[in-house]
Amino acid sequence: MQPQDTIDRLALGVGGALMLIGVVVLGIVEILAGQPYGAAPVTNDAGEVVATPAVDPALRTGLVVAGLVVLFLWGLYKMALTDDVGTDERTGTAAGD
């Protein structure tokens, strides 16, 4: 296994940070803002919007999806690296030895 280089650290940091911001940080902001905790606006019996979430759910979802895309692209990059392919260091012996 190869040690992590700059691209690995950057991809893991950016992808993880985007997901943490989308889930944890903005979740804490929602909790501190108070009710409602749901993603949909709260309406009364007349259909008027009486409360909306503090952070737009599309923003939170977008941050998490962006983090997953960064990690997916990093995974494709790691799969595309072919430095060690075909460099088998084992020594072969005959079956009868």
Side-chain angles (χ1 to χ4, degrees):
M1 184 167 174
Q2 296 178 353
Q4 288 185 344
D5 60 357
T6 304
I7 293 175
D8 296 334
R9 289 187 183 119
L10 182 68
L12 291 173
V14 169
L18 286 171
M19 290 194 308
L20 281 175
I21 290 170
V23 175
V24 177
V25 174
L26 294 180
I28 291 172
V29 169
E30 283 288 332
I31 290 172
L32 293 176
Q35 294 284 342
Y37 295 125
V42 178
T43 59
N44 60 12
D45 292 334
E48 298 176 47
V49 176
V50 293
T52 58
V55 179
D56 186 25
L59 174 67
R60 292 183 71 184
T61 305
L63 286 172
V64 173
V65 169
L68 290 172
V69 166
V70 167
L71 293 177
F72 177 73
L73 292 175
W74 171 73
L76 290 178
Y77 163 76
K78 290 301 276 188
M79 285 176 36
L81 289 180
T82 57
D83 292 342
D84 294 332
V85 175
T87 57
D88 193 2
E89 299 296 328
R90 293 180 288 171
T91 57
T93 58
D97 290 341

